[in-house]
Amino acid sequence: MELRRAPATATALTILAATIALPAPARAQTYDPSYPVCLQIYQGGIADFYFECRYQTMAQCAASASGRSAQCVVNPYYGGPKTKPGKRQRPQQY
């Protein structure tokens, strides 16, 4: 009976050790390419922050950042305004 309990205890301790050793999941750092301005929000540590990319202007972002531990940054992945492709112009003949 004592032999059966030992493997189960060892397995439980192995699972516990693996769970403790694994780092906590990090929040995904995503940039929405639909918006030109992101709010970078700090949560405590030096490198503990995330982005909310949902602002059209720096003024909109600044209003949201006011009173918070946050700053507005330009979205490096902004795709530009969504415009319809225009007619192609033919090059002028000289």
Side-chain angles (χ1 to χ4, degrees), residues 12-51:
L13 288 174
T14 302
I15 292 171
L16 178 64
T19 303
I20 292 171
L22 294 175
R27 181 178 276 208
Q29 298 288 322
T30 58
Y31 293 91
D32 186 345
S34 302
Y35 296 97
V37 181
C38 299
L39 180 64
Q40 183 177 6
I41 302 168
Y42 300 96
Q43 294 184 309
I46 293 173
D48 189 14
F49 57 88
Y50 65 97
F51 294 95

PDB file of all heavy atoms in Angstrom, residues 12-51:
ATOM      1  N   ALA A  12       2.360  14.332  -8.075  1.00  0.00           N
ATOM      2  CA  ALA A  12       1.749  15.578  -7.618  1.00  0.00           C
ATOM      3  C   ALA A  12       2.812  16.642  -7.352  1.00  0.00           C
ATOM      4  O   ALA A  12       2.638  17.809  -7.708  1.00  0.00           O
ATOM      5  CB  ALA A  12       0.923  15.325  -6.362  1.00  0.00           C
ATOM      6  N   LEU A  13       3.920  16.246  -6.752  1.00  0.00           N
ATOM      7  CA  LEU A  13       4.999  17.199  -6.488  1.00  0.00           C
ATOM      8  C   LEU A  13       5.641  17.692  -7.788  1.00  0.00           C
ATOM      9  O   LEU A  13       6.005  18.858  -7.908  1.00  0.00           O
ATOM     10  CB  LEU A  13       6.051  16.567  -5.580  1.00  0.00           C
ATOM     11  CG  LEU A  13       5.618  16.371  -4.122  1.00  0.00           C
ATOM     12  CD1 LEU A  13       6.695  15.609  -3.352  1.00  0.00           C
ATOM     13  CD2 LEU A  13       5.344  17.712  -3.469  1.00  0.00           C
ATOM     14  N   THR A  14       5.755  16.816  -8.768  1.00  0.00           N
ATOM     15  CA  THR A  14       6.313  17.208 -10.063  1.00  0.00           C
ATOM     16  C   THR A  14       5.409  18.228 -10.750  1.00  0.00           C
ATOM     17  O   THR A  14       5.876  19.229 -11.286  1.00  0.00           O
ATOM     18  CB  THR A  14       6.496  15.976 -10.970  1.00  0.00           C
ATOM     19  OG1 THR A  14       7.353  15.045 -10.306  1.00  0.00           O
ATOM     20  CG2 THR A  14       7.080  16.360 -12.304  1.00  0.00           C
ATOM     21  N   ILE A  15       4.109  17.984 -10.723  1.00  0.00           N
ATOM     22  CA  ILE A  15       3.153  18.921 -11.326  1.00  0.00           C
ATOM     23  C   ILE A  15       3.182  20.258 -10.596  1.00  0.00           C
ATOM     24  O   ILE A  15       3.180  21.323 -11.222  1.00  0.00           O
ATOM     25  CB  ILE A  15       1.733  18.320 -11.329  1.00  0.00           C
ATOM     26  CG1 ILE A  15       1.685  17.138 -12.304  1.00  0.00           C
ATOM     27  CG2 ILE A  15       0.691  19.375 -11.697  1.00  0.00           C
ATOM     28  CD1 ILE A  15       0.410  16.333 -12.235  1.00  0.00           C
ATOM     29  N   LEU A  16       3.247  20.226  -9.286  1.00  0.00           N
ATOM     30  CA  LEU A  16       3.310  21.455  -8.498  1.00  0.00           C
ATOM     31  C   LEU A  16       4.579  22.243  -8.820  1.00  0.00           C
ATOM     32  O   LEU A  16       4.530  23.455  -9.031  1.00  0.00           O
ATOM     33  CB  LEU A  16       3.245  21.129  -7.005  1.00  0.00           C
ATOM     34  CG  LEU A  16       3.353  22.329  -6.062  1.00  0.00           C
ATOM     35  CD1 LEU A  16       2.159  23.256  -6.255  1.00  0.00           C
ATOM     36  CD2 LEU A  16       3.455  21.860  -4.629  1.00  0.00           C
ATOM     37  N   ALA A  17       5.711  21.569  -8.893  1.00  0.00           N
ATOM     38  CA  ALA A  17       6.976  22.240  -9.201  1.00  0.00           C
ATOM     39  C   ALA A  17       6.947  22.851 -10.598  1.00  0.00           C
ATOM     40  O   ALA A  17       7.429  23.967 -10.818  1.00  0.00           O
ATOM     41  CB  ALA A  17       8.135  21.261  -9.071  1.00  0.00           C
ATOM     42  N   ALA A  18       6.386  22.141 -11.564  1.00  0.00           N
ATOM     43  CA  ALA A  18       6.298  22.659 -12.927  1.00  0.00           C
ATOM     44  C   ALA A  18       5.389  23.874 -12.987  1.00  0.00           C
ATOM     45  O   ALA A  18       5.671  24.838 -13.692  1.00  0.00           O
ATOM     46  CB  ALA A  18       5.801  21.576 -13.876  1.00  0.00           C
ATOM     47  N   THR A  19       4.298  23.867 -12.252  1.00  0.00           N
ATOM     48  CA  THR A  19       3.371  24.990 -12.230  1.00  0.00           C
ATOM     49  C   THR A  19       4.027  26.229 -11.633  1.00  0.00           C
ATOM     50  O   THR A  19       3.871  27.340 -12.141  1.00  0.00           O
ATOM     51  CB  THR A  19       2.106  24.626 -11.434  1.00  0.00           C
ATOM     52  OG1 THR A  19       1.525  23.463 -12.007  1.00  0.00           O
ATOM     53  CG2 THR A  19       1.106  25.761 -11.435  1.00  0.00           C
ATOM     54  N   ILE A  20       4.764  26.054 -10.582  1.00  0.00           N
ATOM     55  CA  ILE A  20       5.443  27.180  -9.929  1.00  0.00           C
ATOM     56  C   ILE A  20       6.568  27.714 -10.810  1.00  0.00           C
ATOM     57  O   ILE A  20       6.786  28.922 -10.881  1.00  0.00           O
ATOM     58  CB  ILE A  20       5.984  26.756  -8.545  1.00  0.00           C
ATOM     59  CG1 ILE A  20       4.805  26.489  -7.611  1.00  0.00           C
ATOM     60  CG2 ILE A  20       6.892  27.818  -7.962  1.00  0.00           C
ATOM     61  CD1 ILE A  20       5.198  25.864  -6.297  1.00  0.00           C
ATOM     62  N   ALA A  21       7.264  26.851 -11.509  1.00  0.00           N
ATOM     63  CA  ALA A  21       8.401  27.259 -12.324  1.00  0.00           C
ATOM     64  C   ALA A  21       7.999  27.990 -13.592  1.00  0.00           C
ATOM     65  O   ALA A  21       8.765  28.786 -14.128  1.00  0.00           O
ATOM     66  CB  ALA A  21       9.249  26.040 -12.685  1.00  0.00           C
ATOM     67  N   LEU A  22       6.782  27.757 -14.095  1.00  0.00           N
ATOM     68  CA  LEU A  22       6.348  28.414 -15.328  1.00  0.00           C
ATOM     69  C   LEU A  22       6.065  29.883 -15.063  1.00  0.00           C
ATOM     70  O   LEU A  22       5.452  30.234 -14.067  1.00  0.00           O
ATOM     71  CB  LEU A  22       5.081  27.748 -15.870  1.00  0.00           C
ATOM     72  CG  LEU A  22       5.240  26.304 -16.353  1.00  0.00           C
ATOM     73  CD1 LEU A  22       3.881  25.733 -16.736  1.00  0.00           C
ATOM     74  CD2 LEU A  22       6.176  26.258 -17.542  1.00  0.00           C
ATOM     75  N   PRO A  23       6.492  30.761 -15.953  1.00  0.00           N
ATOM     76  CA  PRO A  23       6.210  32.185 -15.755  1.00  0.00           C
ATOM     77  C   PRO A  23       4.737  32.485 -16.007  1.00  0.00           C
ATOM     78  O   PRO A  23       4.051  31.755 -16.722  1.00  0.00           O
ATOM     79  CB  PRO A  23       7.082  32.867 -16.810  1.00  0.00           C
ATOM     80  CG  PRO A  23       7.282  31.835 -17.863  1.00  0.00           C
ATOM     81  CD  PRO A  23       7.293  30.511 -17.138  1.00  0.00           C
ATOM     82  N   ALA A  24       4.272  33.555 -15.429  1.00  0.00           N
ATOM     83  CA  ALA A  24       2.883  33.971 -15.636  1.00  0.00           C
ATOM     84  C   ALA A  24       2.709  34.425 -17.081  1.00  0.00           C
ATOM     85  O   ALA A  24       3.631  34.973 -17.674  1.00  0.00           O
ATOM     86  CB  ALA A  24       2.545  35.107 -14.683  1.00  0.00           C
ATOM     87  N   PRO A  25       1.555  34.197 -17.652  1.00  0.00           N
ATOM     88  CA  PRO A  25       1.348  34.623 -19.032  1.00  0.00           C
ATOM     89  C   PRO A  25       1.405  36.140 -19.155  1.00  0.00           C
ATOM     90  O   PRO A  25       0.887  36.858 -18.309  1.00  0.00           O
ATOM     91  CB  PRO A  25      -0.041  34.091 -19.372  1.00  0.00           C
ATOM     92  CG  PRO A  25      -0.703  33.876 -18.068  1.00  0.00           C
ATOM     93  CD  PRO A  25       0.382  33.563 -17.083  1.00  0.00           C
ATOM     94  N   ALA A  26       2.058  36.613 -20.183  1.00  0.00           N
ATOM     95  CA  ALA A  26       2.181  38.048 -20.405  1.00  0.00           C
ATOM     96  C   ALA A  26       0.992  38.545 -21.214  1.00  0.00           C
ATOM     97  O   ALA A  26       0.440  37.819 -22.035  1.00  0.00           O
ATOM     98  CB  ALA A  26       3.470  38.343 -21.155  1.00  0.00           C
ATOM     99  N   ARG A  27       0.611  39.774 -20.983  1.00  0.00           N
ATOM    100  CA  ARG A  27      -0.471  40.381 -21.758  1.00  0.00           C
ATOM    101  C   ARG A  27       0.052  40.642 -23.163  1.00  0.00           C
ATOM    102  O   ARG A  27       1.164  41.127 -23.335  1.00  0.00           O
ATOM    103  CB  ARG A  27      -0.888  41.688 -21.117  1.00  0.00           C
ATOM    104  CG  ARG A  27      -2.020  42.366 -21.851  1.00  0.00           C
ATOM    105  CD  ARG A  27      -2.410  43.607 -21.161  1.00  0.00           C
ATOM    106  NE  ARG A  27      -3.328  43.265 -20.093  1.00  0.00           N
ATOM    107  CZ  ARG A  27      -4.247  44.089 -19.651  1.00  0.00           C
ATOM    108  NH1 ARG A  27      -4.347  45.281 -20.129  1.00  0.00           N
ATOM    109  NH2 ARG A  27      -5.058  43.714 -18.691  1.00  0.00           N
ATOM    110  N   ALA A  28      -0.738  40.315 -24.133  1.00  0.00           N
ATOM    111  CA  ALA A  28      -0.319  40.487 -25.519  1.00  0.00           C
ATOM    112  C   ALA A  28      -0.123  41.961 -25.836  1.00  0.00           C
ATOM    113  O   ALA A  28      -0.925  42.801 -25.477  1.00  0.00           O
ATOM    114  CB  ALA A  28      -1.362  39.899 -26.459  1.00  0.00           C
ATOM    115  N   GLN A  29       0.965  42.281 -26.470  1.00  0.00           N
ATOM    116  CA  GLN A  29       1.268  43.639 -26.889  1.00  0.00           C
ATOM    117  C   GLN A  29       0.783  43.802 -28.319  1.00  0.00           C
ATOM    118  O   GLN A  29       1.511  43.553 -29.260  1.00  0.00           O
ATOM    119  CB  GLN A  29       2.773  43.902 -26.796  1.00  0.00           C
ATOM    120  CG  GLN A  29       3.323  43.787 -25.409  1.00  0.00           C
ATOM    121  CD  GLN A  29       2.884  44.944 -24.534  1.00  0.00           C
ATOM    122  OE1 GLN A  29       2.811  46.068 -24.981  1.00  0.00           O
ATOM    123  NE2 GLN A  29       2.580  44.658 -23.299  1.00  0.00           N
ATOM    124  N   THR A  30      -0.450  44.211 -28.476  1.00  0.00           N
ATOM    125  CA  THR A  30      -0.993  44.323 -29.815  1.00  0.00           C
ATOM    126  C   THR A  30      -1.245  45.778 -30.170  1.00  0.00           C
ATOM    127  O   THR A  30      -1.596  46.589 -29.323  1.00  0.00           O
ATOM    128  CB  THR A  30      -2.309  43.544 -29.950  1.00  0.00           C
ATOM    129  OG1 THR A  30      -3.236  44.037 -28.993  1.00  0.00           O
ATOM    130  CG2 THR A  30      -2.094  42.065 -29.733  1.00  0.00           C
ATOM    131  N   TYR A  31      -1.046  46.075 -31.415  1.00  0.00           N
ATOM    132  CA  TYR A  31      -1.346  47.394 -31.955  1.00  0.00           C
ATOM    133  C   TYR A  31      -2.440  47.217 -32.991  1.00  0.00           C
ATOM    134  O   TYR A  31      -2.324  46.383 -33.875  1.00  0.00           O
ATOM    135  CB  TYR A  31      -0.114  47.980 -32.655  1.00  0.00           C
ATOM    136  CG  TYR A  31       1.033  48.314 -31.747  1.00  0.00           C
ATOM    137  CD1 TYR A  31       2.029  47.393 -31.479  1.00  0.00           C
ATOM    138  CD2 TYR A  31       1.145  49.582 -31.192  1.00  0.00           C
ATOM    139  CE1 TYR A  31       3.099  47.715 -30.671  1.00  0.00           C
ATOM    140  CE2 TYR A  31       2.216  49.913 -30.380  1.00  0.00           C
ATOM    141  CZ  TYR A  31       3.188  48.977 -30.124  1.00  0.00           C
ATOM    142  OH  TYR A  31       4.241  49.305 -29.328  1.00  0.00           O
ATOM    143  N   ASP A  32      -3.504  47.980 -32.877  1.00  0.00           N
ATOM    144  CA  ASP A  32      -4.565  47.928 -33.865  1.00  0.00           C
ATOM    145  C   ASP A  32      -4.171  48.844 -35.016  1.00  0.00           C
ATOM    146  O   ASP A  32      -4.053  50.060 -34.830  1.00  0.00           O
ATOM    147  CB  ASP A  32      -5.883  48.382 -33.242  1.00  0.00           C
ATOM    148  CG  ASP A  32      -7.063  48.223 -34.182  1.00  0.00           C
ATOM    149  OD1 ASP A  32      -6.844  48.039 -35.393  1.00  0.00           O
ATOM    150  OD2 ASP A  32      -8.194  48.279 -33.689  1.00  0.00           O
ATOM    151  N   PRO A  33      -3.961  48.313 -36.218  1.00  0.00           N
ATOM    152  CA  PRO A  33      -3.516  49.140 -37.333  1.00  0.00           C
ATOM    153  C   PRO A  33      -4.588  50.099 -37.845  1.00  0.00           C
ATOM    154  O   PRO A  33      -4.339  50.889 -38.741  1.00  0.00           O
ATOM    155  CB  PRO A  33      -3.120  48.118 -38.407  1.00  0.00           C
ATOM    156  CG  PRO A  33      -3.907  46.903 -38.075  1.00  0.00           C
ATOM    157  CD  PRO A  33      -4.060  46.907 -36.584  1.00  0.00           C
ATOM    158  N   SER A  34      -5.790  50.077 -37.264  1.00  0.00           N
ATOM    159  CA  SER A  34      -6.867  50.965 -37.687  1.00  0.00           C
ATOM    160  C   SER A  34      -6.766  52.359 -37.061  1.00  0.00           C
ATOM    161  O   SER A  34      -7.435  53.281 -37.502  1.00  0.00           O
ATOM    162  CB  SER A  34      -8.220  50.368 -37.316  1.00  0.00           C
ATOM    163  OG  SER A  34      -8.376  49.105 -37.909  1.00  0.00           O
ATOM    164  N   TYR A  35      -5.979  52.495 -36.002  1.00  0.00           N
ATOM    165  CA  TYR A  35      -5.905  53.762 -35.273  1.00  0.00           C
ATOM    166  C   TYR A  35      -4.474  54.292 -35.245  1.00  0.00           C
ATOM    167  O   TYR A  35      -3.534  53.552 -34.968  1.00  0.00           O
ATOM    168  CB  TYR A  35      -6.406  53.570 -33.841  1.00  0.00           C
ATOM    169  CG  TYR A  35      -7.856  53.187 -33.781  1.00  0.00           C
ATOM    170  CD1 TYR A  35      -8.241  51.864 -33.657  1.00  0.00           C
ATOM    171  CD2 TYR A  35      -8.837  54.160 -33.863  1.00  0.00           C
ATOM    172  CE1 TYR A  35      -9.578  51.517 -33.620  1.00  0.00           C
ATOM    173  CE2 TYR A  35     -10.183  53.822 -33.827  1.00  0.00           C
ATOM    174  CZ  TYR A  35     -10.537  52.495 -33.709  1.00  0.00           C
ATOM    175  OH  TYR A  35     -11.868  52.161 -33.670  1.00  0.00           O
ATOM    176  N   PRO A  36      -4.298  55.611 -35.461  1.00  0.00           N
ATOM    177  CA  PRO A  36      -2.952  56.181 -35.511  1.00  0.00           C
ATOM    178  C   PRO A  36      -2.319  56.465 -34.155  1.00  0.00           C
ATOM    179  O   PRO A  36      -1.112  56.647 -34.065  1.00  0.00           O
ATOM    180  CB  PRO A  36      -3.146  57.484 -36.292  1.00  0.00           C
ATOM    181  CG  PRO A  36      -4.568  57.853 -36.057  1.00  0.00           C
ATOM    182  CD  PRO A  36      -5.316  56.549 -35.912  1.00  0.00           C
ATOM    183  N   VAL A  37      -3.114  56.474 -33.075  1.00  0.00           N
ATOM    184  CA  VAL A  37      -2.589  56.837 -31.758  1.00  0.00           C
ATOM    185  C   VAL A  37      -2.935  55.755 -30.740  1.00  0.00           C
ATOM    186  O   VAL A  37      -4.046  55.234 -30.720  1.00  0.00           O
ATOM    187  CB  VAL A  37      -3.163  58.193 -31.292  1.00  0.00           C
ATOM    188  CG1 VAL A  37      -2.589  58.583 -29.928  1.00  0.00           C
ATOM    189  CG2 VAL A  37      -2.878  59.285 -32.316  1.00  0.00           C
ATOM    190  N   CYS A  38      -1.958  55.432 -29.888  1.00  0.00           N
ATOM    191  CA  CYS A  38      -2.148  54.429 -28.836  1.00  0.00           C
ATOM    192  C   CYS A  38      -1.897  55.051 -27.472  1.00  0.00           C
ATOM    193  O   CYS A  38      -1.069  55.954 -27.325  1.00  0.00           O
ATOM    194  CB  CYS A  38      -1.174  53.262 -29.015  1.00  0.00           C
ATOM    195  SG  CYS A  38      -1.358  52.377 -30.563  1.00  0.00           S
ATOM    196  N   LEU A  39      -2.582  54.547 -26.479  1.00  0.00           N
ATOM    197  CA  LEU A  39      -2.369  54.927 -25.096  1.00  0.00           C
ATOM    198  C   LEU A  39      -1.538  53.830 -24.445  1.00  0.00           C
ATOM    199  O   LEU A  39      -1.940  52.667 -24.438  1.00  0.00           O
ATOM    200  CB  LEU A  39      -3.708  55.083 -24.373  1.00  0.00           C
ATOM    201  CG  LEU A  39      -3.661  55.488 -22.911  1.00  0.00           C
ATOM    202  CD1 LEU A  39      -3.065  56.880 -22.768  1.00  0.00           C
ATOM    203  CD2 LEU A  39      -5.048  55.441 -22.308  1.00  0.00           C
ATOM    204  N   GLN A  40      -0.364  54.193 -23.944  1.00  0.00           N
ATOM    205  CA  GLN A  40       0.507  53.232 -23.261  1.00  0.00           C
ATOM    206  C   GLN A  40       0.236  53.373 -21.769  1.00  0.00           C
ATOM    207  O   GLN A  40       0.492  54.411 -21.176  1.00  0.00           O
ATOM    208  CB  GLN A  40       1.968  53.519 -23.580  1.00  0.00           C
ATOM    209  CG  GLN A  40       2.919  52.527 -22.978  1.00  0.00           C
ATOM    210  CD  GLN A  40       4.366  52.794 -23.374  1.00  0.00           C
ATOM    211  OE1 GLN A  40       4.676  53.793 -24.009  1.00  0.00           O
ATOM    212  NE2 GLN A  40       5.239  51.908 -22.998  1.00  0.00           N
ATOM    213  N   ILE A  41      -0.297  52.312 -21.167  1.00  0.00           N
ATOM    214  CA  ILE A  41      -0.718  52.352 -19.775  1.00  0.00           C
ATOM    215  C   ILE A  41       0.249  51.541 -18.917  1.00  0.00           C
ATOM    216  O   ILE A  41       0.493  50.367 -19.181  1.00  0.00           O
ATOM    217  CB  ILE A  41      -2.149  51.791 -19.640  1.00  0.00           C
ATOM    218  CG1 ILE A  41      -3.104  52.611 -20.518  1.00  0.00           C
ATOM    219  CG2 ILE A  41      -2.601  51.792 -18.184  1.00  0.00           C
ATOM    220  CD1 ILE A  41      -4.457  51.987 -20.687  1.00  0.00           C
ATOM    221  N   TYR A  42       0.778  52.195 -17.882  1.00  0.00           N
ATOM    222  CA  TYR A  42       1.726  51.552 -16.973  1.00  0.00           C
ATOM    223  C   TYR A  42       0.967  50.963 -15.791  1.00  0.00           C
ATOM    224  O   TYR A  42       0.062  51.578 -15.254  1.00  0.00           O
ATOM    225  CB  TYR A  42       2.758  52.561 -16.475  1.00  0.00           C
ATOM    226  CG  TYR A  42       3.555  53.164 -17.599  1.00  0.00           C
ATOM    227  CD1 TYR A  42       3.200  54.379 -18.160  1.00  0.00           C
ATOM    228  CD2 TYR A  42       4.645  52.485 -18.131  1.00  0.00           C
ATOM    229  CE1 TYR A  42       3.914  54.919 -19.211  1.00  0.00           C
ATOM    230  CE2 TYR A  42       5.372  53.007 -19.186  1.00  0.00           C
ATOM    231  CZ  TYR A  42       4.995  54.235 -19.719  1.00  0.00           C
ATOM    232  OH  TYR A  42       5.703  54.754 -20.758  1.00  0.00           O
ATOM    233  N   GLN A  43       1.386  49.760 -15.394  1.00  0.00           N
ATOM    234  CA  GLN A  43       0.687  49.068 -14.309  1.00  0.00           C
ATOM    235  C   GLN A  43       1.499  48.954 -13.028  1.00  0.00           C
ATOM    236  O   GLN A  43       1.024  48.378 -12.073  1.00  0.00           O
ATOM    237  CB  GLN A  43       0.285  47.671 -14.771  1.00  0.00           C
ATOM    238  CG  GLN A  43      -0.733  47.707 -15.873  1.00  0.00           C
ATOM    239  CD  GLN A  43      -1.191  46.324 -16.242  1.00  0.00           C
ATOM    240  OE1 GLN A  43      -0.380  45.448 -16.492  1.00  0.00           O
ATOM    241  NE2 GLN A  43      -2.489  46.125 -16.278  1.00  0.00           N
ATOM    242  N   GLY A  44       2.685  49.413 -12.991  1.00  0.00           N
ATOM    243  CA  GLY A  44       3.448  49.308 -11.753  1.00  0.00           C
ATOM    244  C   GLY A  44       4.944  49.264 -12.001  1.00  0.00           C
ATOM    245  O   GLY A  44       5.644  50.203 -11.705  1.00  0.00           O
ATOM    246  N   GLY A  45       5.422  48.166 -12.562  1.00  0.00           N
ATOM    247  CA  GLY A  45       6.849  48.012 -12.800  1.00  0.00           C
ATOM    248  C   GLY A  45       7.331  48.797 -14.010  1.00  0.00           C
ATOM    249  O   GLY A  45       6.538  49.356 -14.773  1.00  0.00           O
ATOM    250  N   ILE A  46       8.618  48.825 -14.190  1.00  0.00           N
ATOM    251  CA  ILE A  46       9.217  49.569 -15.296  1.00  0.00           C
ATOM    252  C   ILE A  46       8.746  49.018 -16.635  1.00  0.00           C
ATOM    253  O   ILE A  46       8.409  49.768 -17.540  1.00  0.00           O
ATOM    254  CB  ILE A  46      10.753  49.526 -15.206  1.00  0.00           C
ATOM    255  CG1 ILE A  46      11.211  50.305 -13.974  1.00  0.00           C
ATOM    256  CG2 ILE A  46      11.386  50.099 -16.461  1.00  0.00           C
ATOM    257  CD1 ILE A  46      12.683  50.184 -13.683  1.00  0.00           C
ATOM    258  N   ALA A  47       8.723  47.731 -16.780  1.00  0.00           N
ATOM    259  CA  ALA A  47       8.338  47.120 -18.060  1.00  0.00           C
ATOM    260  C   ALA A  47       6.948  46.495 -17.998  1.00  0.00           C
ATOM    261  O   ALA A  47       6.613  45.659 -18.818  1.00  0.00           O
ATOM    262  CB  ALA A  47       9.372  46.075 -18.460  1.00  0.00           C
ATOM    263  N   ASP A  48       6.122  46.917 -17.059  1.00  0.00           N
ATOM    264  CA  ASP A  48       4.787  46.357 -16.908  1.00  0.00           C
ATOM    265  C   ASP A  48       3.767  47.344 -17.469  1.00  0.00           C
ATOM    266  O   ASP A  48       3.261  48.210 -16.765  1.00  0.00           O
ATOM    267  CB  ASP A  48       4.506  46.062 -15.441  1.00  0.00           C
ATOM    268  CG  ASP A  48       3.221  45.284 -15.239  1.00  0.00           C
ATOM    269  OD1 ASP A  48       2.688  44.736 -16.224  1.00  0.00           O
ATOM    270  OD2 ASP A  48       2.747  45.229 -14.090  1.00  0.00           O
ATOM    271  N   PHE A  49       3.504  47.241 -18.773  1.00  0.00           N
ATOM    272  CA  PHE A  49       2.581  48.148 -19.428  1.00  0.00           C
ATOM    273  C   PHE A  49       1.899  47.445 -20.593  1.00  0.00           C
ATOM    274  O   PHE A  49       2.305  46.372 -21.007  1.00  0.00           O
ATOM    275  CB  PHE A  49       3.295  49.406 -19.926  1.00  0.00           C
ATOM    276  CG  PHE A  49       4.426  49.122 -20.873  1.00  0.00           C
ATOM    277  CD1 PHE A  49       4.205  49.001 -22.231  1.00  0.00           C
ATOM    278  CD2 PHE A  49       5.723  48.981 -20.400  1.00  0.00           C
ATOM    279  CE1 PHE A  49       5.243  48.732 -23.105  1.00  0.00           C
ATOM    280  CE2 PHE A  49       6.765  48.728 -21.264  1.00  0.00           C
ATOM    281  CZ  PHE A  49       6.520  48.596 -22.628  1.00  0.00           C
ATOM    282  N   TYR A  50       0.849  48.070 -21.084  1.00  0.00           N
ATOM    283  CA  TYR A  50       0.157  47.563 -22.269  1.00  0.00           C
ATOM    284  C   TYR A  50      -0.363  48.743 -23.077  1.00  0.00           C
ATOM    285  O   TYR A  50      -0.332  49.885 -22.623  1.00  0.00           O
ATOM    286  CB  TYR A  50      -0.973  46.606 -21.884  1.00  0.00           C
ATOM    287  CG  TYR A  50      -2.100  47.225 -21.109  1.00  0.00           C
ATOM    288  CD1 TYR A  50      -3.256  47.643 -21.754  1.00  0.00           C
ATOM    289  CD2 TYR A  50      -2.023  47.385 -19.733  1.00  0.00           C
ATOM    290  CE1 TYR A  50      -4.304  48.212 -21.051  1.00  0.00           C
ATOM    291  CE2 TYR A  50      -3.056  47.947 -19.022  1.00  0.00           C
ATOM    292  CZ  TYR A  50      -4.193  48.357 -19.682  1.00  0.00           C
ATOM    293  OH  TYR A  50      -5.215  48.925 -18.976  1.00  0.00           O
ATOM    294  N   PHE A  51      -0.835  48.459 -24.288  1.00  0.00           N
ATOM    295  CA  PHE A  51      -1.296  49.499 -25.200  1.00  0.00           C
ATOM    296  C   PHE A  51      -2.789  49.362 -25.480  1.00  0.00           C
ATOM    297  O   PHE A  51      -3.296  48.261 -25.605  1.00  0.00           O
ATOM    298  CB  PHE A  51      -0.554  49.421 -26.536  1.00  0.00           C
ATOM    299  CG  PHE A  51       0.900  49.740 -26.423  1.00  0.00           C
ATOM    300  CD1 PHE A  51       1.826  48.723 -26.282  1.00  0.00           C
ATOM    301  CD2 PHE A  51       1.343  51.030 -26.458  1.00  0.00           C
ATOM    302  CE1 PHE A  51       3.169  49.004 -26.173  1.00  0.00           C
ATOM    303  CE2 PHE A  51       2.683  51.325 -26.361  1.00  0.00           C
ATOM    304  CZ  PHE A  51       3.598  50.311 -26.211  1.00  0.00           C
TER     305      PHE A  51
END
